[in-house]
Amino acid sequence: MNNTKNRLCTLAALLLGVLVLAAPKAAAQGFAAGTALCLQSVLPALFPFFVVCELLTAAAPPAALLRPMQRVLGLASPDTAQAVLLSWVGGYAVCARLAGQLYSGERIPRQDAVRLQILGCCSGPGFVIGCVGGLLLGNVRLGVVMYTAQLAANLGAAALLRLAGADASLPPAGPAQRPAQRAIAAPDGATLPGAISAAVTSSLSVCGCVVFFRLAGAVLCRVLPLPAAVVSAVLEISAGCADLAALGGQAALYGCCGALSLLGVSVWAQIQLFAGAAFCPRALFVSRCLHFVLLQIAVRLCVRALPGAAVVCSTLSARVVPLWRMPTDAAVWGVIFLAAALYKLRQSLYNE
C-alpha cells in the first residue's frame, strides 16, 4: 500500500515538473498570485491568531467557564473546549495546530483530538465575512450568514456522527488530563518571543502550501479540459472562492459554500501537517461531506430572510477587483512577520 502511494506521489511530482517546464509563464503567474495572497490575506488573518493561540495554549483554561460547553459537545477536557473556541476565530490552521499540540502533549485524549478537528475546522471570520462576503460577493451581511452557517454545520455534522455511532471507531477516551493534575513541560509559546517564533514557522508552512497549490492550479488550468473555477476550488480554497464568485448568480453563493465545506487539497495538506499524529482523515472526510449538505441547506434557508440578498445573488456579475496597494493592517502585519522571520534566521545562523 505504501509503495503504491509513493509511486503515485512520485508520478504526480514528475508530471507537475514537466507541466511547469511546459508552461513557465502560467507557473510564474501562479507563484506571483500565491505570494500576493499570502501578503494581503493569509498573513494578516493567521499570524496574529497563531501568536495568541500559542500564548493561550500554554496557560490553563478557565475550566469553570468552559464546563457547560464541554458537557454539551461531549468533550473530555476543558482544553478541547478552549481550542474549539479559538479555532472558530482563527480558522482551520489554528484548529489543526492546537489539535496536534494538545494531543502530542497528552493534554487531551484521542477522541477529543478528532472531535476538535470535526468541530473546529472552518474558515475564519476575516476570510468568510471580509473576503468572501464583502469583497467577492459584495454583501457583508451575506458573509456573516455564511460564517454563522458554517459553524452551525460543524455542530450538526458532529452531532450526526455521534448519533450514527461513528465514535465507536475511535480509541476509547480516558479521563480528562488537566495541566494541574499532570506535570507537562511548558511549550516555547509560554513567552511572547517563543510564541512569535512558533507563529512564524507555522505561517511559513501555510504560505508554502498556498503558493505551491496556486502554482499547480495555474499550470493545470492550461492543460485540463475543466472549468478554471473547479480546478481552483479543488486545489485551494481562496482561489476557488474567487473564481466561483466571478460566475455570478446563485452559482457564486452556493459554489463558495461548497468550497468552504470541502476545503481543498491545500487545506487538507495544512491540516495533516499541523495535526500530525492527531490527524484522522476518515472521520474528517465524512464530517466535511455532511458539512457540505448542511451548509447548503442552512444558507438557502437564511438567505431568504436576508434583506437584499436575493437581488445581490441574482444580479452579481463577473468582475475583477484590482488591489493597487496593500491595506494598512496587512502592511503592518507583513512588516512584523518579515522582521520576526529575519530575526529567527539571524539567530539560526549565529548559533551555527
Side-chain angles (χ1 to χ4, degrees), residues 69 73 83-91 94-95 118-125 147 150-151 154-155:
M69 178 181 178
L73 298 180
V84 170
L85 292 177
L86 293 174
S87 301
W88 287 347
V89 178
V94 171
C95 173
I118 295 173
L119 289 165
C121 275
C122 64
S123 298
Y147 174 71
Q150 76 162 348
L151 297 186
N154 276 19
L155 295 171

Side-chain angles (χ1 to χ4, degrees), residues 43 47 50 54 97 194-208 273-274 337 340-341 344 348:
L43 288 177
F47 182 65
F50 275 141
E54 288 288 337
R97 183 169 179 79
I196 293 176
S197 177
V200 169
T201 303
S202 301
S203 299
L204 287 175
S205 300
V206 172
C207 290
L273 172 66
F274 291 126
F337 173 79
K344 185 175 182 180
S348 301

Side-chain angles (χ1 to χ4, degrees), residues 12-227:
L14 292 175
L15 179 60
L16 180 61
V18 172
L19 292 178
V20 169
L21 294 176
K25 186 176 180 180
Q29 291 175 349
F31 183 88
T35 304
L37 176 65
C38 291
L39 291 176
Q40 295 168 1
S41 300
V42 175
L43 288 177
L46 288 183
F47 182 65
F49 289 109
F50 275 141
V51 176
V52 172
C53 290
E54 288 288 337
L55 294 172
L56 291 178
T57 305
L65 298 177
L66 296 173
R67 192 170 291 113
M69 178 181 178
Q70 177 187 344
R71 291 176 179 174
V72 170
L73 298 180
L75 303 174
S77 171
D79 290 282
T80 314
Q82 182 187 40
V84 170
L85 292 177
L86 293 174
S87 301
W88 287 347
V89 178
Y92 53 82
V94 171
C95 173
R97 183 169 179 79
L98 289 175
Q101 283 184 339
L102 294 174
Y103 179 66
S104 62
E106 298 183 359
R107 294 175 61 175
I108 62 174
R110 172 69 173 174
Q111 279 190 343
D112 269 22
V114 176
R115 287 171 183 166
L116 170 57
Q117 294 170 70
I118 295 173
L119 289 165
C121 275
C122 64
S123 298
F127 177 73
V128 180
I129 299 175
C131 182
V132 178
L135 182 62
L136 298 179
L137 298 180
N139 192 328
V140 175
R141 288 179 296 181
L142 188 60
V144 174
V145 169
M146 294 173 67
Y147 174 71
T148 306
Q150 76 162 348
L151 297 186
N154 276 19
L155 295 171
L160 290 175
L161 286 176
R162 292 196 66 188
L163 290 175
D167 290 345
S169 61
L170 302 176
Q177 296 172 349
R178 301 181 182 179
Q181 297 174 343
R182 180 167 182 165
I184 299 175
D188 294 337
T191 61
L192 182 59
I196 293 176
S197 177
V200 169
T201 303
S202 301
S203 299
L204 287 175
S205 300
V206 172
C207 290
C209 290
V210 171
V211 172
F212 174 78
F213 285 103
R214 274 276 179 148
L215 185 152
V219 173
L220 291 175
C221 285
R222 296 296 182 93
V223 297
L224 292 180
L226 294 173

Side-chain angles (χ1 to χ4, degrees), residues 300-326:
R300 184 176 294 272
L301 293 176
C302 294
V303 162
R304 296 178 181 178
L306 188 64
V311 177
V312 171
C313 294
S314 62
T315 61
L316 182 65
S317 59
R319 66 192 188 280
V320 176
V321 182
L323 295 175
W324 295 102
R325 64 180 183 177
M326 191 179 300

Side-chain angles (χ1 to χ4, degrees), residues 121 154 260-261 263 268 284-292:
C121 275
N154 276 19
L260 292 175
S261 293
L263 300 177
W268 280 84
L284 188 58
F285 175 77
V286 175
S287 72
R288 299 318 295 184
C289 292
L290 293 173
H291 189 281
F292 177 85

